[in-house]
């Protein structure tokens, strides 16, 4: 089973999946690393200092890795909702996200672009459109440990095909940043 952890940059995908990885229970694909290592991109955008992933190549490769494994594979990527049917969307308030992204070497434009994407629920909306089950997790006021515990609960629920309570608790649309961001 393939489960994606997606969200705007800075919401904690890599930090949280690394904690999950330390527990050794699940296979984790840190997709950005795989894309670079295996050159699964179509272009290098030197102006933005990033690569443009070839989503078909990425999808085929991820499915290949996951297929070889009867266990659970977790994808760490803001692209994971393009690939997996079961998705956890991490959300972080734009104020907190601004501080996190400022610590990276992002330009002001890139920070603003990401904050706006978060405030407009872009990745959440795409996930709801494209995926079978979507869980929205607000990490803003949670410790990383508690968030990892919630993620494990969701994985276990999916594994046991018992998600009705979790779907209610982590219902998409529970988070709304528009008041604080656009007012
Ligand atoms: P992403 O992979 O989604 O771009 P990262 O995991 O690389 O995000 O970055 C998130 C950063 O925020 C990390 O440095 C992490 O330590 C920090 N952080 C602080 N508090 C939290 C929290 N509650 N949940 C997730 N990340 C947090
Ligand atoms: Mn990351």
């Amino acid at each position: 089973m393939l489960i994606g952890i997606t969200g705007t940059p800075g919401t904690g995908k890599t930090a949280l999946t690394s904690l999950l990885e330390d527990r050794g229970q699940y296979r984790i694909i840190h997709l950005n690393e795989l894309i670079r290592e295996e050159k699964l991109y179509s272009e290098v955008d030197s102006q933005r200092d990033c690569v443009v992933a070839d989503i078909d190549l990425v999808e085929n490769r991820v499915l290949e890795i996951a297929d070889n494994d009867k266990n659970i594979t977790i994808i760490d990527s803001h692209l994971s909702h393009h690939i997996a049917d079961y998705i956890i969307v991490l959300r972080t308030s734009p104020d907190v996200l601004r501080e996190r992204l400022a610590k990276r070497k992002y330009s002001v434009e890139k920070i603003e672009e990401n904050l706006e994407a978060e405030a407009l629920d872009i990745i959440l909306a795409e996930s709801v459109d494209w995926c079978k089950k979507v869980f929205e997790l607000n990490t803003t006021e949670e410790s990383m440990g508690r968030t990892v515990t919630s993620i494990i609960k969701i994985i276990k629920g999916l594994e046991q095909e018992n998600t009705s309570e979790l779907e209610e608790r982590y219902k998409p649309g529970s988070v709304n940043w528009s008041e604080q961001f656009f007012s």
Side-chain angles (χ1 to χ4, degrees):
M1 181 186 275
L2 198 55
I3 301 174
I5 309 231
T6 190
T8 306
T11 50
K13 300 178 294 293
T14 302
L16 295 165
T17 50
S18 299
L19 287 179
L20 206 55
E21 197 165 26
D22 293 342
R23 304 168 64 105
Q25 268 167 300
Y26 308 111
R27 178 202 288 275
I28 314 283
I29 302 177
H30 297 292
L31 200 58
N32 288 343
E33 285 175 18
L34 188 80
I35 289 170
R36 283 182 190 270
E37 278 166 17
E38 302 194 2
K39 299 199 169 46
L40 306 175
Y41 47 78
S42 51
E43 265 176 71
V44 178
D45 185 338
S46 50
Q47 211 170 6
R48 296 170 127 236
D49 188 27
C50 61
V51 297
V52 181
D54 181 327
I55 194 70
D56 292 332
L57 279 182
V58 171
E59 178 163 10
N60 288 338
R61 183 67 182 115
V62 167
L63 295 178
E64 188 177 65
I65 295 170
D67 259 2
N68 289 333
D69 195 339
K70 287 186 185 55
N71 301 319
I72 291 192
T73 301
I74 313 278
I75 319 172
D76 154 25
S77 173
H78 68 291
L79 298 173
S80 62
H81 60 290
H82 292 252
I83 302 170
D85 284 331
Y86 305 112
I87 288 291
I88 299 172
V89 185
L90 302 177
R91 306 301 307 271
T92 305
S93 114
D95 293 341
V96 173
L97 206 55
R98 184 190 300 280
E99 288 170 27
R100 290 198 199 154
L101 295 180
K103 289 186 189 147
R104 300 182 179 181
K105 285 179 186 134
Y106 279 11
S107 64
V108 174
E109 291 79 21
K110 193 162 169 186
I111 293 178
E112 290 308 320
E113 194 178 289
N114 280 307
L115 296 183
E116 190 171 298
E118 178 63 16
L120 290 171
D121 310 323
I122 300 215
I123 288 186
L124 181 81
E126 290 176 347
S127 300
V128 168
D129 275 357
W130 301 338
C131 308
K132 278 197 191 129
K133 282 191 183 167
V134 179
F135 304 88
E136 180 177 44
L137 216 57
N138 183 0
T139 73
T140 309
E141 265 142 39
E142 294 289 0
S143 66
M144 306 235 281
R146 279 182 60 111
T147 306
V148 170
T149 303
S150 305
I151 291 173
I152 291 172
K153 272 191 198 143
I154 295 170
I155 297 170
K156 294 229 157 92
L158 285 167
E159 217 172 357
Q160 293 157 7
E161 295 181 38
N162 178 12
T163 51
S164 47
E165 266 174 47
L166 294 162
E167 282 176 73
E168 195 49 42
R169 180 139 151 224
Y170 302 110
K171 212 189 185 86
S174 315
V175 164
N176 184 347
W177 309 130
S178 57
E179 260 177 54
Q180 59 157 283
F181 190 75
F182 295 109
S183 58

